[in-house]
Amino acid sequence: MSLLYALDPGTLQSALVVYDGTRVLEHVTALNGVILDKLRFAPETGTRTLVVEQIESFGMAVGQETFATVWWAGRFYEAWPNAERYQLPRLPIKIHLCNSARATDANIRAALLDKFGGSAAIGKKATPGPLYGLKGHEFAALAVAVTWLEIQAQPVAARTGSAHHI
């Protein structure tokens, strides 16, 4: 089984989604040290790929939080025990899911809900949908996973070329 570990890095905590191309197998928002261990000791069965949302510069001043997030993203990337690891900037995610560079987190969440069945995608405790329990930045991590897989499924000539393999 091929698994995609998609990560939305943060300053103190990050969101991780494990996705098999059709469903979310695991999702968690946790302190960065916990996520780091989860990546280091990921099960070694099947093909595993890590995609980390890449921090982009837009020419504006940034604060200490941005640098801390970049530092953690690098630690996550380095900790991955597999050669299959990539970075994916936020802009291609917005364009892919929402057809707009101005898309917000709410727009991305709405696009993901539509992709997974609308309001039924969340469901209720008694009748959970495929995205039941996802919260906050876990939707951003899922957006990384969905975009990555859908871009990879396109013919090479149609790809944006914005994913980075270091």
Side-chain angles (χ1 to χ4, degrees), residues 36-104:
L36 193 63
D37 285 342
K38 214 167 202 7
L39 294 176
R40 269 192 198 123
F41 303 113
E44 295 187 22
T45 56
T47 305
R48 297 172 302 125
T49 302
L50 173 70
V51 182
V52 179
E53 184 178 310
Q54 181 181 7
I55 306 298
E56 294 178 286
S57 169
F58 294 104
M60 300 181 67
V62 295
Q64 197 60 28
E65 293 84 12
T66 301
F67 291 110
T69 301
V70 170
W71 186 77
W72 276 107
R75 290 199 66 197
F76 296 141
Y77 189 91
E78 186 65 28
W80 187 245
N82 190 321
E84 289 296 315
R85 54 187 176 182
Y86 304 90
Q87 294 181 314
L88 182 64
R90 184 87 168 152
L91 185 60
I93 295 167
K94 290 178 174 185
I95 292 169
H96 179 76
L97 293 175
C98 303
N99 296 315
S100 172
R102 293 182 176 213
T104 64

Side-chain angles (χ1 to χ4, degrees), residues 134-146:
L134 257 74
K135 61 188 182 303
H137 291 277
E138 292 168 8
F139 278 98
L142 179 59
V144 170
V146 169

